[in-house]
Amino acid sequence: MSVEEALKKKVWAVVGANANKEKFGCKIYNRLKKEGYEVYPVNPGLEEIDGAKCYASLADLPVKPDVVDIVVPAKIGVETVKEAAEQSIKVVWLQPGADKQEVVKAAEEVGLEVIKDCVLVRLNNK
């Protein structure tokens, strides 16, 4: 799937979403919402972000997202791509820093489509 095709998908989950305005997990989550996406924050350490329920895992989401944006360290990223495959999610978007080789390899091994790019930059150029 191309970057352009992924950006046309309207239901996203952001793994690593948070309420710290300085962190990319917050910036990405808020930008997707602002752009009109249906976006679900995933972070087991938070109950909510800006009044929206935050989910502990992809399995806890009320709907299956079209794209999972990953903004977490490699160890968690590897677990996340495996969980995405278990949930029949097909596309993972790895942000710069989350796109470590072991995460890419794990995603490819479970048959996921992998996008390595910055969604914030792509939304600016859309």
Side-chain angles (χ1 to χ4, degrees):
M1 176 174 294
S2 71
V3 166
E4 293 75 20
E5 290 171 319
L7 289 174
K8 288 179 184 171
K9 304 289 185 184
K10 289 301 181 185
V11 182
W12 287 53
V14 178
V15 176
N18 61 70
N20 182 338
K21 305 245 184 281
E22 301 301 312
K23 299 241 181 193
F24 282 104
C26 181
K27 292 176 183 181
I28 292 163
Y29 171 71
N30 285 326
R31 181 63 186 276
L32 286 167
K33 280 189 358 183
K34 181 182 170 194
E35 295 287 334
Y37 290 85
E38 181 180 340
V39 57
Y40 295 91
V42 178
N43 186 328
L46 296 174
E47 296 209 2
E48 68 174 45
I49 295 175
D50 294 334
K53 178 176 172 53
C54 193
Y55 298 87
S57 70
L58 295 174
D60 294 332
L61 295 175
V63 299
K64 182 175 81 173
D66 299 313
V67 181
V68 175
D69 189 287
I70 299 177
V71 199
V72 292
K75 182 179 179 196
I76 299 167
V78 168
E79 296 167 12
T80 299
V81 297
K82 291 177 183 174
E83 185 185 13
E86 289 166 6
Q87 297 300 315
S88 300
I89 297 164
K90 304 289 185 212
V91 181
V92 292
W93 185 302
L94 304 178
Q95 291 295 136
D99 58 354
K100 302 290 188 240
Q101 186 56 41
E102 60 264 38
V103 180
V104 174
K105 184 175 182 227
E108 290 172 345
E109 284 175 354
V110 293
L112 298 179
E113 292 191 55
V114 178
I115 296 172
K116 298 186 296 180
D117 208 325
C118 180
V119 75
L120 295 172
V121 171
R122 289 304 186 143
L123 288 171
N124 284 341
N125 296 329
K126 191 168 103 154

